[in-house]
Structures are given as C-alpha cells and as structure tokens.
Amino acid sequence: MEIPAFNSKKLEDRLLKLSNEQQLLFGMLCCERLLPNYIAFQRDTGTGDSGALRKSLDLIWLVLEQGQPARE
C-alpha cells in the first residue's frame, strides 16, 4: 500500500467540513500522537515542559467530554 503525498490544501478542505468540536478533536489526536516524541525531545535536550503540555491536553479532553468550558 502506497501512502499518498501530503497535500495541505486537501487537508484544509476536509477539516473545514468538520464542526469546530471535530476540528479540535482532530488537533488533540495529533497532539496525543506526537506527545511521546516531545517527551523524548525534552529528555534529550533538557528543555520544554511535557507536564504542562499534558495538563493542557487533559483540560481540553475534559472540555470535549463535558461539552462545556473547564473552570480552573
């Protein structure tokens, strides 16, 4: 199976057809997938704050699950 070349315009067109909540979910799933790489980068370079990123992602998941803004 051949993986198609990345096409930013096609992705944008597809994302614009999604609701705001679905767009946020797509972005969250991308962040979750990249988080292990960010943690490795932080470990290797001694820079960054994966804890703050994890907390932010958790808050956004809470908003998506509850359907209302989180208070904190």
Side-chain angles (χ1 to χ4, degrees), residues 1 5 7 20 22-23 26 29 35 40 51 53 57 66 72:
M1 178 177 153
N7 182 326
N20 288 340
Q22 290 170 323
Q23 290 178 26
F26 175 81
L29 291 172
L35 184 59
L53 179 57
L57 293 172
Q66 294 182 349
E72 190 158 324

Side-chain angles (χ1 to χ4, degrees), residues 38-53:
Y38 182 75
I39 292 169
F41 169 81
Q42 178 184 342
R43 182 189 62 237
D44 293 346
T45 64
T47 62
D49 187 353
S50 62
L53 179 57

